[in-house]
Amino acid sequence: MVPFGGIGPMLALALADFDGDGEPELVTATACFHPDEMEMRLPSLWVAKIARWEHGLPVFWRPHRFGALTPCSLQAMQGRGGRARLLVLEGRSVRFLENHAFDAGMRFRHGRAIVTFSDRELSVLRPNERIVSVRLCHGDADRPGDLLITTEIDGYTPDSYPVTPQQVRGLPFPEVVAKNFDRDGNWLCGRTSMRLYLCRAGSSDTGDFGAIEPALDGQGRPVELVHGNGTIGIADLDGDGDLDLICGDELQSLRYFEDVGRPGRPSWIDRGRLRSPGGDDFRARGCWNLLPSYVHFNERPGLLLGSGAGWLLYCTLEGFQDGVPVVGEPVKLKQTGGGPAGRVGFLTPVAADLFGTGSCDIVCGCTSGHALVYRNEGSPQRPQFDNVTFLKDTSGCDIRQGPARSGRSNIHGPAEDEAGHTGATLGDWCGHGRKDLVMADDLGEIHFYANTGNATGPAFDPGRPLRCNGRVLQTVWRQRPWLVDFDGDGRCELLAMDAYGHARLYRRADPRDPCQIDDGTLLTREDGKPLKLDGLIPYSSPWTGRSSLCAVDLDGDGRLDILVGWGAGYQESLTMEESMSHFRWGTVKWFRNVGTNQAPDFRAGGYLRHDGYPIIAGGHNCSVHAVDWDEDGELELILGTDNGQLCVLDHDEFTFDVPSPL
């Protein structure tokens, strides 16, 4: 198995000289999936050293994982000696990690906890409220000061939705989504609530901390944060001698909280969003859950921004306007190889020779709704991917779908208004001999991008939604459809799930308009029941759709089977709670065609396996393309995971279950 790509969404970051060589290192807590852990969201630590500086900005080596630590909060603090230490939150304990490497390496070890919160101390929190981040307001690693604590109440639990599973049972997915909004499109469900608390340091001799107490604003009310990420940037931004705060919100923005209190008694006022130089609200397009950290690059103050989208950004501080900071246009920092540092998640790979080199490139949909292309600079036998770029259409705009482009929210509501979760597929939909692009998104729409280029340079026209009977086709969210000539008539069909999660083969309905399609042929099991590929009945939470489809002759009998990148815990007849107690990882299943390609019937084939065990490729779900990658006459599997990695399994590295007859 050969992984390449990035490390996934960032949950926290710290930049400091941890190894004492005079150059800072970047440490991130990243939501990565590991087969021995149950959830993709469990964080792990990654470190990236600086390879060089370009135009006053760092270029990082590719990050690598170290240790088995799982902190969800990071802060760099100086102490005795030349090496910075990491302040981390692990469970209920706040502690420092120290780098004990003898050379310029990174070997963090646990130090003693400076505080471990008891049930009594946590009783001040609201019901279901949990600590997500801690920051030292002042002091250092040897004499810590007061702790600033960020908490949240998750507003996206199943009981926060306005309807019950019984009320939506059997409804098509668009109707399920509609019940989460009022007639004016306002979100009816819960929203995550975040607050600030203080835990004051005791005497310098004992190092004890006092009780947790709410941080208050100028009117004596608890400081409420707009939901984003719990990471807070702390710095004296206005030069008045106290510590102001910057935090990210859920709409790719940053908010400024000014300290208007007195020494030792801070009081923070929400002054609103940071501004861009033109006076508009600052936006980091394509990113969300920003993680701000105050830095100086090239002797200029600025903000280093991690993000839930996986990118690492930097923007300069340009002054103040109307009482809030003004920041420059965000720049994506780079890593060696020329690509940006970080990767978006939920990759849906499809391999094809887009540029006429004889080697397969990879096109992916992803979390942010973009279409990414990994260009293969090597050969079929020795592929080499040094960069990733956004595909653009012929108007020069990034190819992108989802709420960010449409102005509508998906079933998760405003928290994902910068997402898209696109599923990409390539095929000759127009019959002109070129590979067109089709992408589904998290609104349940599927868009078509005509390739008007040539064999050595694709050119995709701006996308248009597929339409059925005069209306935009509505399906389940986050699926990856598949373009394939299934019946062998020389024309491409679209294999996709409908609004009920049932597999259908759609065909063009109008030879003059490639976006007009028919009602689709329902695919069935051999017992005549619809072939359901999303694993769960429509539910008031978002556990529908999500499956990634691929049609291929897996068993070599001349008939096209269906491979499915399967969601965590998917079981067709169970409730979500019951199914999540079963197999809890993204995996790959297949459905064997026991009919013909012209009249297919399908039998559940079971798992695809690696080393005898079901393939594990992600915490939510994975995406799969079976293709003869190296031109050896055998199929390989390309897997995309929710944490932004791509993997290749050679033909001798996987097997598949053989289904027994009914």
Side-chain angles (χ1 to χ4, degrees):
M1 184 177 288
V2 183
F4 57 98
I7 58 174
M10 297 182 193
L11 303 177
L13 62 82
L15 183 75
D17 182 7
F18 294 105
D19 61 9
D21 66 353
E23 192 89 293
E25 292 80 39
L26 176 70
V27 176
T28 66
T30 302
C32 293
F33 175 80
H34 305 290
D36 56 343
E37 296 165 355
M38 293 300 288
E39 287 290 348
M40 184 273 285
R41 293 186 180 89
L42 284 178
S44 58
L45 285 183
W46 294 71
V47 63
K49 288 178 171 287
I50 294 176
R52 61 184 181 274
W53 292 79
E54 291 182 357
H55 310 295
L57 296 177
V59 176
F60 293 94
W61 294 107
R62 293 185 182 274
H64 65 272
R65 185 183 181 222
F66 65 94
L69 307 170
T70 59
C72 60
S73 174
L74 302 175
Q75 184 184 16
M77 297 297 296
Q78 290 298 139
R80 290 188 297 269
R83 294 179 174 182
R85 302 179 207 173
L86 272 177
L87 182 76
V88 302
L89 169 68
E90 289 189 303
R92 296 183 172 194
S93 296
V94 181
R95 67 177 72 245
F96 282 106
L97 303 182
E98 299 184 41
N99 183 12
H100 285 263
F102 291 105
D103 50 17
M106 303 285 278
R107 298 184 185 91
F108 280 100
R109 294 180 183 174
H110 283 95
R112 72 175 182 87
I114 63 173
V115 61
T116 297
F117 299 114
S118 65
D119 289 339
R120 181 180 59 82
E121 290 167 326
L122 295 176
S123 64
V124 69
L125 304 183
R126 296 168 291 174
N128 300 318
E129 191 170 18
R130 66 187 184 96
I131 298 175
V132 295
S133 177
V134 292
R135 286 285 184 272
L136 280 177
C137 294
H138 50 81
D140 57 30
D142 298 311
R143 305 184 82 173
D146 298 341
L147 284 173
L148 183 65
I149 298 170
T150 310
T151 65
E152 75 170 11
I153 296 177
D154 189 357
Y156 294 94
T157 56
D159 58 2
S160 69
Y161 287 80
V163 291
T164 65
Q166 291 72 28
Q167 291 174 303
V168 297
R169 191 180 301 276
L171 292 181
F173 185 68
E175 293 186 26
V176 178
V177 176
K179 289 184 176 295
N180 294 319
F181 299 85
D182 65 18
R183 292 183 178 180
D184 297 323
N186 298 310
W187 176 245
L188 296 175
C189 308
R191 298 186 70 165
T192 297
S193 171
M194 307 187 77
R195 272 189 182 176
L196 286 182
Y197 291 83
L198 282 169
C199 184
R200 300 187 185 278
S203 70
S204 58
D205 296 329
T206 64
D208 295 333
F209 284 83
I212 297 174
E213 60 186 67
L216 303 179
D217 64 16
Q219 283 73 46
R221 300 169 301 191
V223 177
E224 301 277 352
L225 302 179
V226 177
H227 171 237
N229 185 285
T231 296
I232 301 290
I234 303 177
D236 180 13
L237 296 173
D238 54 10
D240 63 358
D242 50 30
L243 294 177
D244 309 304
L245 310 178
I246 292 180
C247 71
D249 68 21
E250 62 190 6
L251 297 177
Q252 79 277 344
S253 300
L254 295 167
R255 300 190 78 86
Y256 171 60
F257 291 79
E258 181 186 2
D259 185 357
V260 297
R262 61 184 188 274
R265 287 291 171 183
S267 177
W268 287 286
I269 299 293
D270 183 358
R271 297 300 191 193
R273 288 182 175 141
L274 274 63
R275 304 282 182 82
S276 64
D280 297 327
D281 287 347
F282 169 80
R283 291 281 194 276
R285 300 292 181 186
C287 297
W288 55 93
N289 286 359
L290 298 176
L291 320 174
S293 182
Y294 184 72
V295 296
H296 274 80
F297 287 156
N298 200 25
E299 298 184 354
R300 290 196 62 184
L303 294 176
L304 183 67
L305 304 174
S307 73
W311 306 114
L312 183 65
L313 312 175
Y314 171 76
C315 52
T316 56
L317 284 166
E318 304 288 348
F320 273 74
Q321 183 181 96
D322 299 328
V324 297
V326 176
V327 292
E329 188 70 20
V331 177
K332 287 189 174 75
L333 297 185
K334 294 182 178 181
Q335 61 188 19
T336 50
R343 292 288 186 271
V344 289
F346 288 88
L347 297 181
T348 58
V350 54
D353 181 7
L354 274 185
F355 302 98
T357 63
S359 300
C360 279
D361 311 293
I362 296 179
V363 172
C364 289
C366 62
T367 314
S368 64
H370 290 91
L372 308 176
V373 58
Y374 295 80
R375 187 162 180 170
N376 188 353
E377 305 290 350
S379 65
Q381 293 74 30
R382 297 180 65 85
Q384 181 176 341
F385 298 89
D386 289 333
N387 206 348
V388 56
T389 57
F390 295 116
L391 274 179
K392 295 183 179 295
D393 61 30
T394 51
S395 71
C397 295
D398 288 342
I399 293 176
R400 191 182 186 196
Q401 286 174 220
R405 276 287 166 89
S406 71
R408 306 185 343 253
S409 294
N410 66 28
I411 194 174
H412 264 165
E416 290 193 355
D417 278 356
E418 275 300 305
H421 294 98
T422 40
T425 181
L426 295 167
D428 187 7
W429 181 248
C430 290
H432 50 31
R434 297 183 292 271
K435 294 177 178 64
D436 304 305
L437 172 67
V438 168
M439 286 207 308
D441 58 37
D442 57 7
L443 296 174
E445 296 182 1
I446 302 176
H447 289 217
F448 164 72
Y449 301 80
N451 186 354
T452 56
N454 54 48
T456 59
F460 296 103
D461 285 347
R464 293 186 292 153
L466 297 183
R467 304 178 69 87
C468 180
N469 297 321
R471 296 183 177 182
V472 173
L473 178 67
Q474 297 291 320
T475 68
V476 290
W477 80 326
R478 295 193 185 187
Q479 71 164 307
R480 199 279 295 280
W482 195 253
L483 288 173
V484 61
D485 179 9
F486 207 100
D487 55 13
D489 65 355
R491 293 174 293 181
C492 219
E493 287 85 43
L494 177 70
L495 171 65
M497 291 180 288
D498 64 16
Y500 296 92
H502 298 152
R504 288 182 180 268
L505 281 174
Y506 295 96
R507 296 171 175 86
R508 289 181 56 177
D510 185 342
R512 298 166 298 179
D513 185 356
C515 291
Q516 298 296 328
I517 63 173
D518 62 12
D519 292 319
T521 302
L522 182 67
L523 300 182
T524 60
R525 296 173 180 259
E526 56 185 321
D527 60 4
K529 294 181 180 179
L531 180 61
K532 187 171 174 60
L533 297 180
D534 67 352
L536 287 173
I537 60 172
Y539 187 68
S540 58
S541 83
W543 284 93
T544 51
R546 297 177 179 260
S547 295
S548 166
L549 313 185
C550 173
V552 67
D553 180 10
L554 182 65
D555 54 5
D557 64 359
R559 293 171 288 194
L560 289 176
D561 310 300
I562 297 177
L563 273 62
V564 183
W566 201 252
Y570 275 5
Q571 303 286 334
E572 183 173 342
S573 61
L574 302 178
T575 66
M576 186 175 74
E577 289 78 9
E578 291 172 323
S579 68
M580 290 300 285
S581 67
H582 289 66
F583 191 81
R584 292 190 59 186
W585 299 279
T587 188
V588 182
K589 288 190 174 184
W590 75 296
F591 293 82
R592 189 179 209 173
N593 185 355
V594 294
T596 66
N597 288 339
Q598 293 71 35
D601 282 311
F602 293 91
R603 181 183 300 161
Y607 292 105
L608 273 68
R609 297 178 179 270
H610 173 62
D611 287 339
Y613 297 95
I615 288 172
I616 295 175
H620 280 83
N621 56 293
C622 70
S623 188
V624 60
H625 181 191
V627 61
D628 183 5
W629 173 263
D630 53 9
E631 298 182 350
D632 64 353
E634 303 281 357
L635 290 176
E636 286 78 43
L637 296 183
I638 303 176
L639 303 172
T641 71
D642 45 12
N643 73 311
Q645 288 186 326
L646 297 173
C647 303
V648 176
L649 283 177
D650 204 358
H651 64 88
D652 59 357
E653 293 182 299
F654 73 92
T655 59
F656 51 86
D657 296 341
V658 177
S660 55
L662 287 177

